[in-house]
Amino acid sequence: MKIRKLIDSFNYAIDGIIHAVRTQRNMRIHMIAALIILTACFFYDLSKTEILIVTITITMVIASEMFNTAIECTIDVAANYYHPLAKIAKNTAAGAVLITAINAVAVGYILFWDKLSTVTLGVMKKVKQSDPYITFSILVIVCILTLIVKAIFGEGTPLRGGMPSGHSAIAFCIATTIALIVDDKPLAVFLSYLLAVIVAQSRVDSHIHSIFEVLVGAIFGTLITILLFNIFG
């Protein structure tokens, strides 16, 4: 009987995690970010202490998001009408998530920046030495891969809606290409990514894509571009 209760408690906990991932957009974003960071740990020579810091940081962000979800659900049950104190409670819980997310960004910057800088410099050198047609070919490849992924998810049409956002993927592909080509011109890099963000935001404002689809498209376009340049550049 005790073992049965113990197993049930684990099942309830796992069901809570699944519910949060299924219903909370930010939770899905945190999970994707966690997978990317944990995957990066395999490619970089991190010490045990650094891996421990990354693990604790990820756990803090995910746990705070789940606490935020629990608080929101509890308030909705207790007060299914607008109340200023309910608003304060929800905003405070969301603020706690924001603090842990900012901390996670700071930890990632401290641990990975030097390692990423070395890789980025190598990729930039390859890009600058590559022929222009390679850049065009990579853009075409990103477009084709985006269409393939959209076909796999089976949502929307090739040029409108669905997962991921094709406009966002292509915009961030171009921005990443510019960032890799230009040398010591941070303003050009900033403006390139600013335009990419504007393109992505326009897809959300026009109700063609969700924020999650746009975010996935941005990450997809950026990572695929860097990978292809690193292979073919």
Side-chain angles (χ1 to χ4, degrees), residues 35-82:
L35 289 174
I36 293 174
I37 295 300
L38 291 175
T39 303
C41 291
F42 290 102
F43 296 95
Y44 298 101
D45 187 19
L46 298 182
S47 65
K48 291 182 179 180
T49 302
E50 290 173 333
I51 294 176
L52 181 62
I53 293 173
V54 170
T55 304
I56 293 175
T57 302
I58 291 174
T59 303
M60 287 175 56
V61 174
I62 294 176
S64 63
E65 183 63 46
M66 294 186 67
F67 279 125
N68 180 43
T69 302
I71 291 172
E72 288 183 348
C73 292
T74 303
I75 292 174
D76 290 339
V77 170
N80 56 357
Y81 55 89
Y82 175 79

Short mmCIF file of all heavy atoms in Angstrom, two decimals, residues 35-82:
data_model
loop_
_atom_site.label_atom_id
_atom_site.label_comp_id
_atom_site.label_asym_id
_atom_site.label_seq_id
_atom_site.Cartn_x
_atom_site.Cartn_y
_atom_site.Cartn_z
N LEU A 35 17.03 22.32 -23.10
CA LEU A 35 17.58 21.27 -23.96
C LEU A 35 18.78 21.79 -24.76
O LEU A 35 19.78 21.08 -24.92
CB LEU A 35 16.49 20.76 -24.90
CG LEU A 35 15.38 19.92 -24.27
CD1 LEU A 35 14.30 19.60 -25.30
CD2 LEU A 35 15.94 18.65 -23.66
N ILE A 36 18.66 23.03 -25.25
CA ILE A 36 19.77 23.61 -26.02
C ILE A 36 21.01 23.77 -25.14
O ILE A 36 22.13 23.41 -25.54
CB ILE A 36 19.34 24.96 -26.61
CG1 ILE A 36 18.26 24.77 -27.66
CG2 ILE A 36 20.55 25.68 -27.24
CD1 ILE A 36 17.68 26.05 -28.19
N ILE A 37 20.83 24.29 -23.93
CA ILE A 37 21.96 24.51 -23.03
C ILE A 37 22.58 23.19 -22.60
O ILE A 37 23.82 23.04 -22.57
CB ILE A 37 21.51 25.32 -21.80
CG1 ILE A 37 21.07 26.72 -22.22
CG2 ILE A 37 22.64 25.42 -20.78
CD1 ILE A 37 22.13 27.54 -22.90
N LEU A 38 21.74 22.22 -22.25
CA LEU A 38 22.27 20.92 -21.81
C LEU A 38 23.00 20.22 -22.96
O LEU A 38 24.01 19.54 -22.73
CB LEU A 38 21.13 20.04 -21.30
CG LEU A 38 20.50 20.50 -19.98
CD1 LEU A 38 19.31 19.62 -19.62
CD2 LEU A 38 21.54 20.47 -18.85
N THR A 39 22.50 20.38 -24.19
CA THR A 39 23.20 19.82 -25.34
C THR A 39 24.55 20.49 -25.55
O THR A 39 25.55 19.84 -25.86
CB THR A 39 22.34 19.97 -26.61
OG1 THR A 39 21.07 19.33 -26.41
CG2 THR A 39 23.03 19.35 -27.81
N ALA A 40 24.58 21.82 -25.34
CA ALA A 40 25.84 22.56 -25.50
C ALA A 40 26.88 22.10 -24.49
O ALA A 40 28.08 22.16 -24.76
CB ALA A 40 25.58 24.05 -25.34
N CYS A 41 26.43 21.64 -23.34
CA CYS A 41 27.37 21.18 -22.31
C CYS A 41 28.21 20.00 -22.79
O CYS A 41 29.34 19.80 -22.33
CB CYS A 41 26.63 20.79 -21.03
SG CYS A 41 25.89 22.18 -20.14
N PHE A 42 27.66 19.21 -23.73
CA PHE A 42 28.41 18.06 -24.24
C PHE A 42 29.53 18.48 -25.18
O PHE A 42 30.48 17.74 -25.39
CB PHE A 42 27.46 17.10 -24.97
CG PHE A 42 26.51 16.37 -24.06
CD1 PHE A 42 25.19 16.77 -23.96
CD2 PHE A 42 26.94 15.30 -23.30
CE1 PHE A 42 24.31 16.10 -23.13
CE2 PHE A 42 26.07 14.63 -22.46
CZ PHE A 42 24.75 15.02 -22.38
N PHE A 43 29.41 19.67 -25.76
CA PHE A 43 30.38 20.11 -26.77
C PHE A 43 31.46 21.03 -26.19
O PHE A 43 32.40 21.38 -26.88
CB PHE A 43 29.66 20.82 -27.91
CG PHE A 43 28.72 19.94 -28.68
CD1 PHE A 43 27.38 19.89 -28.36
CD2 PHE A 43 29.20 19.13 -29.70
CE1 PHE A 43 26.51 19.07 -29.06
CE2 PHE A 43 28.34 18.30 -30.40
CZ PHE A 43 26.99 18.27 -30.08
N TYR A 44 31.29 21.44 -24.94
CA TYR A 44 32.26 22.34 -24.32
C TYR A 44 32.83 21.70 -23.06
O TYR A 44 32.14 20.94 -22.37
CB TYR A 44 31.62 23.69 -23.99
CG TYR A 44 31.13 24.43 -25.20
CD1 TYR A 44 29.78 24.44 -25.54
CD2 TYR A 44 32.01 25.11 -26.04
CE1 TYR A 44 29.32 25.11 -26.66
CE2 TYR A 44 31.56 25.79 -27.16
CZ TYR A 44 30.21 25.78 -27.46
OH TYR A 44 29.77 26.44 -28.57
N ASP A 45 34.06 22.01 -22.80
CA ASP A 45 34.77 21.41 -21.68
C ASP A 45 34.41 22.15 -20.39
O ASP A 45 35.17 22.99 -19.90
CB ASP A 45 36.29 21.45 -21.93
CG ASP A 45 37.05 20.68 -20.86
OD1 ASP A 45 36.42 19.84 -20.19
OD2 ASP A 45 38.26 20.92 -20.71
N LEU A 46 33.25 21.80 -19.83
CA LEU A 46 32.82 22.43 -18.58
C LEU A 46 33.27 21.60 -17.40
O LEU A 46 33.27 20.36 -17.44
CB LEU A 46 31.29 22.57 -18.55
CG LEU A 46 30.64 23.44 -19.62
CD1 LEU A 46 29.14 23.49 -19.40
CD2 LEU A 46 31.22 24.85 -19.61
N SER A 47 33.64 22.26 -16.33
CA SER A 47 34.03 21.56 -15.12
C SER A 47 32.78 21.05 -14.40
O SER A 47 31.65 21.43 -14.73
CB SER A 47 34.81 22.50 -14.20
OG SER A 47 33.99 23.58 -13.76
N LYS A 48 32.98 20.22 -13.38
CA LYS A 48 31.85 19.71 -12.62
C LYS A 48 31.09 20.84 -11.93
O LYS A 48 29.87 20.83 -11.85
CB LYS A 48 32.33 18.69 -11.58
CG LYS A 48 32.85 17.39 -12.17
CD LYS A 48 33.26 16.42 -11.08
CE LYS A 48 33.75 15.10 -11.68
NZ LYS A 48 34.16 14.14 -10.61
N THR A 49 31.83 21.82 -11.45
CA THR A 49 31.20 22.97 -10.80
C THR A 49 30.35 23.76 -11.77
O THR A 49 29.22 24.17 -11.45
CB THR A 49 32.27 23.89 -10.19
OG1 THR A 49 33.07 23.14 -9.26
CG2 THR A 49 31.62 25.06 -9.45
N GLU A 50 30.85 23.97 -12.99
CA GLU A 50 30.10 24.71 -13.99
C GLU A 50 28.83 23.96 -14.40
O GLU A 50 27.76 24.56 -14.57
CB GLU A 50 30.98 24.98 -15.21
CG GLU A 50 32.10 25.98 -14.94
CD GLU A 50 33.05 26.11 -16.10
OE1 GLU A 50 33.19 25.14 -16.87
OE2 GLU A 50 33.67 27.19 -16.25
N ILE A 51 28.95 22.63 -14.57
CA ILE A 51 27.77 21.83 -14.92
C ILE A 51 26.74 21.88 -13.79
O ILE A 51 25.53 21.96 -14.03
CB ILE A 51 28.18 20.37 -15.20
CG1 ILE A 51 29.06 20.31 -16.47
CG2 ILE A 51 26.96 19.48 -15.36
CD1 ILE A 51 29.59 18.93 -16.77
N LEU A 52 27.22 21.85 -12.55
CA LEU A 52 26.32 21.94 -11.40
C LEU A 52 25.60 23.28 -11.40
O LEU A 52 24.38 23.34 -11.14
CB LEU A 52 27.12 21.76 -10.11
CG LEU A 52 26.31 21.80 -8.80
CD1 LEU A 52 25.30 20.68 -8.77
CD2 LEU A 52 27.24 21.72 -7.60
N ILE A 53 26.32 24.36 -11.69
CA ILE A 53 25.70 25.69 -11.73
C ILE A 53 24.64 25.76 -12.82
O ILE A 53 23.54 26.29 -12.61
CB ILE A 53 26.78 26.77 -11.96
CG1 ILE A 53 27.70 26.86 -10.74
CG2 ILE A 53 26.14 28.13 -12.24
CD1 ILE A 53 28.90 27.77 -10.95
N VAL A 54 24.95 25.21 -14.00
CA VAL A 54 23.98 25.20 -15.10
C VAL A 54 22.73 24.41 -14.71
O VAL A 54 21.59 24.85 -14.95
CB VAL A 54 24.62 24.59 -16.37
CG1 VAL A 54 23.55 24.35 -17.43
CG2 VAL A 54 25.69 25.51 -16.91
N THR A 55 22.93 23.24 -14.10
CA THR A 55 21.80 22.39 -13.70
C THR A 55 20.91 23.08 -12.67
O THR A 55 19.68 23.07 -12.80
CB THR A 55 22.32 21.06 -13.13
OG1 THR A 55 23.17 20.42 -14.07
CG2 THR A 55 21.15 20.13 -12.81
N ILE A 56 21.53 23.69 -11.67
CA ILE A 56 20.75 24.39 -10.65
C ILE A 56 20.00 25.57 -11.25
O ILE A 56 18.83 25.82 -10.92
CB ILE A 56 21.68 24.86 -9.51
CG1 ILE A 56 22.25 23.66 -8.75
CG2 ILE A 56 20.93 25.79 -8.54
CD1 ILE A 56 23.26 24.02 -7.68
N THR A 57 20.65 26.29 -12.15
CA THR A 57 20.01 27.45 -12.78
C THR A 57 18.79 27.03 -13.59
O THR A 57 17.72 27.65 -13.51
CB THR A 57 21.01 28.18 -13.69
OG1 THR A 57 22.14 28.58 -12.91
CG2 THR A 57 20.37 29.41 -14.31
N ILE A 58 18.93 25.97 -14.38
CA ILE A 58 17.81 25.47 -15.17
C ILE A 58 16.67 25.02 -14.27
O ILE A 58 15.49 25.30 -14.52
CB ILE A 58 18.27 24.32 -16.09
CG1 ILE A 58 19.21 24.84 -17.17
CG2 ILE A 58 17.07 23.60 -16.71
CD1 ILE A 58 19.83 23.75 -18.02
N THR A 59 17.02 24.31 -13.20
CA THR A 59 16.01 23.83 -12.26
C THR A 59 15.26 25.00 -11.62
O THR A 59 14.02 24.95 -11.46
CB THR A 59 16.66 22.98 -11.17
OG1 THR A 59 17.37 21.89 -11.77
CG2 THR A 59 15.61 22.42 -10.22
N MET A 60 15.96 26.06 -11.28
CA MET A 60 15.33 27.23 -10.68
C MET A 60 14.31 27.86 -11.63
O MET A 60 13.20 28.22 -11.21
CB MET A 60 16.40 28.26 -10.29
CG MET A 60 17.24 27.90 -9.08
SD MET A 60 18.57 29.10 -8.80
CE MET A 60 17.65 30.64 -8.70
N VAL A 61 14.68 27.99 -12.90
CA VAL A 61 13.78 28.62 -13.87
C VAL A 61 12.53 27.77 -14.07
O VAL A 61 11.40 28.28 -14.02
CB VAL A 61 14.49 28.83 -15.22
CG1 VAL A 61 13.51 29.34 -16.27
CG2 VAL A 61 15.66 29.80 -15.07
N ILE A 62 12.71 26.47 -14.27
CA ILE A 62 11.56 25.58 -14.52
C ILE A 62 10.67 25.49 -13.27
O ILE A 62 9.44 25.55 -13.37
CB ILE A 62 12.04 24.19 -14.94
CG1 ILE A 62 12.74 24.28 -16.30
CG2 ILE A 62 10.89 23.19 -14.99
CD1 ILE A 62 13.33 22.97 -16.78
N ALA A 63 11.30 25.37 -12.09
CA ALA A 63 10.51 25.28 -10.86
C ALA A 63 9.73 26.57 -10.60
O ALA A 63 8.57 26.53 -10.19
CB ALA A 63 11.44 24.98 -9.68
N SER A 64 10.35 27.72 -10.85
CA SER A 64 9.66 28.99 -10.63
C SER A 64 8.48 29.14 -11.59
O SER A 64 7.42 29.67 -11.21
CB SER A 64 10.63 30.16 -10.79
OG SER A 64 11.15 30.22 -12.11
N GLU A 65 8.63 28.66 -12.84
CA GLU A 65 7.52 28.71 -13.79
C GLU A 65 6.37 27.81 -13.33
O GLU A 65 5.19 28.18 -13.47
CB GLU A 65 8.00 28.28 -15.17
CG GLU A 65 6.95 28.37 -16.27
CD GLU A 65 6.46 29.78 -16.51
OE1 GLU A 65 7.30 30.70 -16.59
OE2 GLU A 65 5.22 29.97 -16.59
N MET A 66 6.69 26.66 -12.75
CA MET A 66 5.65 25.76 -12.26
C MET A 66 4.96 26.35 -11.03
O MET A 66 3.74 26.23 -10.87
CB MET A 66 6.25 24.40 -11.95
CG MET A 66 6.77 23.66 -13.18
SD MET A 66 7.32 21.98 -12.85
CE MET A 66 5.77 21.19 -12.43
N PHE A 67 5.73 27.00 -10.14
CA PHE A 67 5.12 27.69 -9.01
C PHE A 67 4.19 28.79 -9.50
O PHE A 67 3.10 29.00 -8.95
CB PHE A 67 6.20 28.27 -8.09
CG PHE A 67 6.80 27.28 -7.15
CD1 PHE A 67 8.18 27.08 -7.11
CD2 PHE A 67 6.01 26.53 -6.29
CE1 PHE A 67 8.74 26.16 -6.25
CE2 PHE A 67 6.56 25.61 -5.41
CZ PHE A 67 7.93 25.42 -5.39
N ASN A 68 4.62 29.50 -10.52
CA ASN A 68 3.80 30.57 -11.10
C ASN A 68 2.48 30.00 -11.64
O ASN A 68 1.41 30.58 -11.42
CB ASN A 68 4.57 31.26 -12.22
CG ASN A 68 3.79 32.39 -12.85
OD1 ASN A 68 3.16 33.18 -12.18
ND2 ASN A 68 3.82 32.46 -14.17
N THR A 69 2.57 28.87 -12.32
CA THR A 69 1.36 28.22 -12.85
C THR A 69 0.44 27.79 -11.72
O THR A 69 -0.78 27.97 -11.78
CB THR A 69 1.75 27.01 -13.71
OG1 THR A 69 2.59 27.42 -14.77
CG2 THR A 69 0.51 26.33 -14.28
N ALA A 70 1.03 27.20 -10.66
CA ALA A 70 0.23 26.75 -9.53
C ALA A 70 -0.47 27.92 -8.84
O ALA A 70 -1.65 27.84 -8.47
CB ALA A 70 1.12 26.01 -8.53
N ILE A 71 0.24 29.03 -8.69
CA ILE A 71 -0.35 30.21 -8.06
C ILE A 71 -1.48 30.77 -8.90
O ILE A 71 -2.55 31.13 -8.38
CB ILE A 71 0.74 31.28 -7.82
CG1 ILE A 71 1.72 30.81 -6.75
CG2 ILE A 71 0.12 32.62 -7.43
CD1 ILE A 71 2.92 31.71 -6.58
N GLU A 72 -1.27 30.84 -10.21
CA GLU A 72 -2.32 31.36 -11.10
C GLU A 72 -3.58 30.49 -11.04
O GLU A 72 -4.70 31.01 -10.96
CB GLU A 72 -1.80 31.42 -12.54
CG GLU A 72 -0.79 32.53 -12.78
CD GLU A 72 -0.36 32.60 -14.23
OE1 GLU A 72 -0.67 31.64 -14.98
OE2 GLU A 72 0.27 33.59 -14.62
N CYS A 73 -3.40 29.15 -11.06
CA CYS A 73 -4.55 28.25 -11.00
C CYS A 73 -5.27 28.37 -9.67
O CYS A 73 -6.52 28.37 -9.61
CB CYS A 73 -4.09 26.81 -11.22
SG CYS A 73 -3.50 26.45 -12.89
N THR A 74 -4.52 28.49 -8.58
CA THR A 74 -5.13 28.62 -7.26
C THR A 74 -5.94 29.90 -7.15
O THR A 74 -7.07 29.91 -6.62
CB THR A 74 -4.05 28.60 -6.17
OG1 THR A 74 -3.28 27.39 -6.27
CG2 THR A 74 -4.67 28.68 -4.78
N ILE A 75 -5.39 30.99 -7.65
CA ILE A 75 -6.11 32.28 -7.61
C ILE A 75 -7.37 32.22 -8.47
O ILE A 75 -8.43 32.73 -8.08
CB ILE A 75 -5.18 33.41 -8.08
CG1 ILE A 75 -4.06 33.63 -7.07
CG2 ILE A 75 -5.96 34.71 -8.28
CD1 ILE A 75 -3.02 34.62 -7.50
N ASP A 76 -7.27 31.59 -9.65
CA ASP A 76 -8.44 31.50 -10.53
C ASP A 76 -9.57 30.69 -9.88
O ASP A 76 -10.76 30.98 -10.10
CB ASP A 76 -8.05 30.86 -11.86
CG ASP A 76 -7.17 31.78 -12.70
OD1 ASP A 76 -7.19 33.00 -12.45
OD2 ASP A 76 -6.46 31.27 -13.58
N VAL A 77 -9.20 29.69 -9.09
CA VAL A 77 -10.21 28.90 -8.40
C VAL A 77 -10.83 29.69 -7.25
O VAL A 77 -12.05 29.69 -7.05
CB VAL A 77 -9.61 27.58 -7.87
CG1 VAL A 77 -10.59 26.87 -6.94
CG2 VAL A 77 -9.24 26.66 -9.01
N ALA A 78 -9.98 30.38 -6.49
CA ALA A 78 -10.46 31.10 -5.31
C ALA A 78 -11.21 32.38 -5.68
O ALA A 78 -12.15 32.77 -4.98
CB ALA A 78 -9.28 31.44 -4.39
N ALA A 79 -10.79 33.03 -6.74
CA ALA A 79 -11.43 34.30 -7.14
C ALA A 79 -11.57 34.33 -8.66
O ALA A 79 -10.63 34.68 -9.37
CB ALA A 79 -10.59 35.48 -6.66
N ASN A 80 -12.74 33.93 -9.14
CA ASN A 80 -12.98 33.90 -10.58
C ASN A 80 -13.52 35.23 -11.09
O ASN A 80 -14.28 35.29 -12.04
CB ASN A 80 -13.95 32.78 -10.94
CG ASN A 80 -15.26 32.90 -10.18
OD1 ASN A 80 -15.42 33.79 -9.35
ND2 ASN A 80 -16.19 31.99 -10.46
N TYR A 81 -13.10 36.30 -10.43
CA TYR A 81 -13.47 37.65 -10.82
C TYR A 81 -12.26 38.55 -10.59
O TYR A 81 -11.31 38.16 -9.90
CB TYR A 81 -14.67 38.15 -10.01
CG TYR A 81 -14.45 38.08 -8.51
CD1 TYR A 81 -13.88 39.14 -7.80
CD2 TYR A 81 -14.79 36.92 -7.81
CE1 TYR A 81 -13.66 39.06 -6.44
CE2 TYR A 81 -14.56 36.84 -6.45
CZ TYR A 81 -14.00 37.91 -5.77
OH TYR A 81 -13.78 37.83 -4.42
N TYR A 82 -12.28 39.75 -11.18
CA TYR A 82 -11.13 40.62 -11.04
C TYR A 82 -11.01 41.13 -9.61
O TYR A 82 -11.99 41.58 -9.00
CB TYR A 82 -11.24 41.82 -11.98
CG TYR A 82 -10.12 42.83 -11.77
CD1 TYR A 82 -8.87 42.59 -12.31
CD2 TYR A 82 -10.34 43.98 -11.03
CE1 TYR A 82 -7.83 43.50 -12.12
CE2 TYR A 82 -9.32 44.89 -10.83
CZ TYR A 82 -8.07 44.64 -11.38
OH TYR A 82 -7.05 45.55 -11.17
#
